[in-house]
Amino acid sequence: MPLRLRATVAAALTVLTLAGCSRSPEERREPDTSARLAATLDSPIDITLRWKDDEPGVVGRTVEFATEKAGPYTVLEFMPPGRTTYRHPDLMPETPFYYRLRPYFGPASSAVEVSLPPGEPSEKELTDNQEWMTPRTVEGPKVPKVRTAPLTARGVGGTNANPAAAPTELEPTVKHATGIHFTWTDRAADEDGYLLEVRQAGSEGYRPVALLDADINSFGLITLPEEKRASYRVRAFVYGEQSNVVHLTTGSDPGN
């Protein structure tokens, strides 16, 4: 199932366990990456993370945490390039917290503009067949597939994405006042997944709203009220090397 990235952190904690967190201890090693992560305990229950943003080719990073070093790790946020801090407030007292970053690389499709009808969907629209919302792979004409990025994106340092791996023919279909069905052509051979990204009218940048598995090329989105007019694109991505893991233990509850 896709992760709706606009969901609350509390909801995300219950639905997202990162792939790759079950690696054996022999496979875990200190990564060779320029993204060096540091953490500060600002209060007994508030932690701030800081890092440098000097890794070439990065299109975003995930901030992830766990209460054991071996994981499982949970995504707190998909961060745009240029962000170098994250605050994790109101934590459980006297609890160990482990943090890491994972950069991701990959090309995005051309953007499409969508305008939705005013108001809310009818009861019939909400109860009719909702299969269009399910993420799935729809067979279509065979197209040559290429690597999302050279292998160095998964190893030492970063690299620019391969533009030939960008999804093409992104097609939105308005289903009702808050629903859009998207289809696209998958041209990536080795993606870790897809991100559906939105830029609502009046905003400056795109942000992810859905995380989808590799090879998916059909997905339905339920929008927010502020997304009546918005621009969308879909990105094929691969994860790069994770950062170092930092560890802090929270203090006593200041309210007691």
Side-chain angles (χ1 to χ4, degrees), residues 92-215:
M92 186 178 297
E94 300 178 3
T95 302
F97 284 86
Y98 297 85
Y99 297 92
R100 70 186 188 187
L101 303 174
R102 284 206 298 177
Y104 57 93
F105 306 80
S109 70
S110 299
V112 294
E113 303 291 328
V114 181
S115 295
L116 294 171
E120 297 294 325
S122 68
E123 187 66 27
K124 182 177 185 303
E125 289 171 324
L126 291 175
T127 56
D128 275 350
N129 190 329
Q130 303 294 304
E131 288 185 4
W132 60 272
M133 295 179 58
T134 303
R136 64 185 190 272
T137 302
V138 177
E139 295 298 330
K142 298 296 182 183
V143 296
K145 293 190 176 184
V146 298
R147 297 197 66 84
T148 310
L151 282 173
T152 48
R154 298 180 185 272
V156 179
T159 185
N160 291 327
N162 183 353
T168 59
E169 300 171 320
L170 177 60
E171 183 68 32
T173 301
V174 174
K175 304 298 287 188
H176 53 63
T178 62
I180 311 170
H181 179 221
F182 293 95
T183 59
W184 59 90
T185 298
D186 173 11
R187 293 185 175 272
D190 64 338
E191 75 276 18
D192 286 325
Y194 282 94
L195 288 170
L196 181 64
E197 302 174 346
V198 63
R199 184 183 67 190
Q200 65 196 57
S203 64
E204 293 183 357
Y206 285 86
R207 56 187 172 83
V209 290
L211 172 61
L212 304 167
D213 289 339
D215 299 324

Side-chain angles (χ1 to χ4, degrees), residues 44-83:
I45 58 170
D46 299 308
I47 292 175
T48 295
L49 306 177
R50 295 178 176 84
W51 62 91
K52 289 185 177 180
D53 182 33
D54 57 1
E55 193 169 1
V58 171
V59 296
R61 289 183 176 87
T62 59
V63 179
E64 305 170 7
F65 92 101
T67 54
E68 297 180 6
K69 187 174 183 179
Y73 281 81
T74 297
V75 168
L76 289 168
E77 189 170 337
F78 275 68
M79 307 287 283
R83 281 280 299 277

Side-chain angles (χ1 to χ4, degrees), residues 27-50:
E27 290 178 296
R28 298 189 191 100
R29 60 183 178 83
E30 199 68 5
D32 187 359
T33 175
S34 62
R36 302 302 298 178
L37 181 62
T40 304
L41 197 61
D42 298 326
S43 79
I45 58 170
D46 299 308
I47 292 175
T48 295
L49 306 177
R50 295 178 176 84

